């Protein structure tokens, strides 16, 4: 019988896998745009953001190595991102300047962060650090994407690959601090009582 691998101060493999989850962001942008078009009105921002959020939520759950519960994380990410993008896009008048997109990202993170924090596993220490970090990280994602020369004037639902790599790398450090990876049952797993059938 193999004993669970102890948590390390920093687990490079799990961080790299989470960072590789950035690939969900371009797919999410394509899905959001396919369903709702450009994020240039309230319905498109809400619907496109929600669809993109669902795709990102699935990607992050897969990249978390069982630390996130797909039944909670995916809906929280879809709802949080839909409402967050609605708030952000309406506030900046659907503008695509660097300042507009940074503010839109911060407002998206302001709504998305608490939604995801509530979806973290029971017993997560300092879960609200996740909520506090999301406005800055989403603003940074849009900033890096804009500075990278991506055609942000197309009013995408989520930032591009440059921003996604930056966001994923930094959020991965935070996730590891909140939920260190341990091989074995997921954090939300409950033991089966003795004698109970599987």
């Amino acid at each position: 019988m193999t004993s669970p691998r102890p948590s390390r101060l920093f687990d490079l493999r799990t961080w790299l896998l989470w960072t590789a989850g950035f690939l969900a962001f371009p797919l999410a942008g394509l899905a959001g745009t396919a369903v709702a078009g450009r994020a240039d009105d309230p319905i498109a921002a809400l619907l496109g953001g929600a669809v993109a959020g669902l795709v990102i939520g699935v990607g992050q759950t897969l990249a978390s190595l069982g630390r996130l519960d797909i039944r909670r994380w995916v809906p929280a990410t879809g709802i949080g991102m839909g409402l967050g993008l609605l708030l952000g896009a309406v506030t900046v008048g659907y503008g695509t300047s660097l300042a507009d997109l940074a503010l839109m990202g911060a407002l998206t993170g302001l709504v998305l962060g608490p939604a995801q924090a509530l979806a973290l596993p029971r017993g997560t220490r300092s879960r609200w650090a996740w909520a506090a970090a999301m406005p800055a990280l989403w603003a940074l994602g849009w900033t890096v994407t804009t500075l990278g020369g991506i055609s942000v004037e197309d009013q995408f639902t989520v930032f591009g690959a440059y921003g996604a790599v930056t966001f994923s790398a930094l959020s991965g450090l935070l996730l590891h601090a909140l939920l260190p990876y341990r091989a074995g049952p997921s954090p939300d797993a409950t033991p089966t009582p003795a004698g109970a059938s599987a």
Side-chain angles (χ1 to χ4, degrees), residues 5 8 10-21 63-65 67 168 172-173 175-176 179-183:
R5 179 167 59 84
R8 302 175 193 164
F10 179 71
D11 188 320
L12 180 61
R13 186 178 74 91
T14 59
W15 174 76
L16 286 174
L17 182 58
W18 176 268
T19 301
S64 76
L65 291 176
R67 288 174 290 172
S168 297
L173 296 175
L175 184 70
H176 187 70
L179 290 174
Y181 175 69
R182 293 177 180 84

Side-chain angles (χ1 to χ4, degrees), residues 46-111:
L46 177 63
L47 182 57
V51 169
L54 292 173
V55 175
I56 290 169
V58 170
Q60 289 179 327
T61 303
L62 295 175
S64 76
L65 291 176
R67 288 174 290 172
L68 301 174
D69 183 342
I70 196 168
R71 298 165 298 178
R72 297 169 62 194
W73 191 259
V74 172
T77 304
I79 293 168
M81 190 170 162
L83 293 175
L85 183 60
L86 172 63
L87 173 63
V90 168
T91 299
V92 302
Y94 312 100
T96 57
S97 70
L98 176 58
D100 285 337
L101 292 175
L103 178 57
M104 184 178 78
L107 292 173
T108 300
L110 189 66
V111 178

